[in-house]
Amino acid sequence: MSAKIRTRIAPSPTGFLHLGTARTALYSWSYARHFGGEFVLRIEDTDVARSTQDSVDQILESMQWLGLDYDEGPIYQMQRLERYREVLERLIAQGKAYYCYSTPEELEATREAKRAKGEKTLYDGRWRPAPGKTLPPVPEGVQPVVRFCNPVDGEVTWVDLVKGPITISNREIDDLIIARTDGIPTYNFAVVVDDWDMQISHVFRGDEHINNTPWQINIFNALGAPLPQFGHCPVILGDDGQKLSKRRGAVSVTAYQEDGYLPEAMLNYLARLGWSHGDEELFSREQLVAWFDGTHLNKSPAQWDRAKLLWVNAHYIKHADNHRLAGLVAQQLTKLGIAVDATTVDSHLPQVCALLKDRSDTTVALAQWAAKFYGDVKPDPAEKAHHVTELVRPALAMLAEKLAQCPWDKASISAVLKEVLTAHGLKMPQLAMPVRVLVMGTSQTPSLDAVLALCSREKVAVRLLGA
Ligand code: GLU
């Protein structure tokens, strides 16, 4: 292992950044930061048909949004083909890899025959060189793949940072294809050359790769390369207990960004989903870095819990700076067709956020509140019928008249409200409830004087007249 801690995340740009990948990225990043090491971003784009620039952009944007800064990268595998070719040729020259000319049809026929006999459908070793063995004549017009000479017996053992010791017999695995007919390396080969060249000391990844690790360890050994340590994190299950997938709700980081989650909430929630530090549920990025040393990673799958994520998000919204929230809410308002310039003093958007942030678990919910101040309001007919009674109409009329003239601040508005109550012999709720329904469309709002002061005088007048 190299002396320096170096971790990496190696997403394939064939879609958005999946939550599972974001979580392993977070663990890799935290581990590097905890030990003063380095974190590398590598884009595994050798699946040329499925890789897209759009996906690369989304991955980079998600990493930036989560604040997962990298010390090197993005490094693109497709820019390293020369290097893979060189290592491949060396392995072939050393008799550790070989050309295989079996056609897909032949391979399928062999597999079928093995299946019929109830045997494992491993590669039959037809093109594997061996002392004294005569290989079949090279067929014309067939582009070969390159296979790795996997050890035929013995076993591969590693102590997984998450799962503990794992042993897999070499008899279970066959001679893996490490380069395709077009010369492009396969994942298991490119990943080893890269982790070696980039001096990666610790690999955190999803446990769907556990079956690849024995091959990778054998390739590292064949290259005489030092082995990194591996940690395989269990999958994330959806709240129905099935593997988290697109069909079961949002699985991309960007979707949560759009749905009004704060990056620090996502970071906190994702980190806790599969790792713990005592009973701590809410922690900052700095605390995570201080605590995360690769231990206390859960061995069993984590379950996605939307309610808990909302709770975590609500906490961070409550503590977020109001100007920052205003900027985020303005973006959400744009999606609702409401343009508010959060930077002007007159918009009062930061104050609106301050007033309503403890009632909102996402910035989308906060924007729905804010929309009542800047957009149109349609009072709920049942609430309107219930609260806007004949008894209060005269008081509402007087209020509208007084509010047209008073200074537009919370204290003056409060004084007007009291004056109207006294004049009509009403209690505060008898007046406040109908005013809330008319002005905000709902009877559930924060203190009325604060709400009215943040709404424009014109909007309040129009809405009261709607009584
Ligand atoms: N490109 C692989 C993936 O996205 C990387 C796996 C690894 O970290 O080795 O699953």
Side-chain angles (χ1 to χ4, degrees), residues 8 10-12 21 42 44 187 191 195 203-205 208-209 216:
R8 69 359 175 234
S12 306
T21 313
R42 184 167 74 224
E44 301 206 328
Y187 157 69
V191 84
D195 286 341
V203 170
F204 292 94
R205 63 183 165 207
E208 69 273 19
H209 287 293
Q216 293 181 18

Side-chain angles (χ1 to χ4, degrees), residues 353-416:
C353 291
L355 188 63
L356 291 149
K357 63 184 181 178
D358 57 0
R359 295 173 181 241
S360 310
D361 47 21
T362 63
T363 56
V364 168
L366 191 50
Q368 279 157 2
W369 270 114
K372 298 177 190 297
F373 290 79
Y374 305 99
D376 295 325
V377 152
K378 281 197 193 61
D380 175 65
E383 281 212 288
K384 191 171 165 187
H386 181 65
H387 292 291
V388 187
T389 59
E390 288 311 314
L391 179 78
V392 298
R393 278 187 196 281
L396 289 171
M398 178 180 175
L399 180 67
E401 196 188 309
K402 296 264 170 206
L403 286 180
Q405 293 152 24
C406 79
W408 205 247
D409 58 67
K410 192 175 151 191
S412 311
I413 292 171
S414 175
V416 166

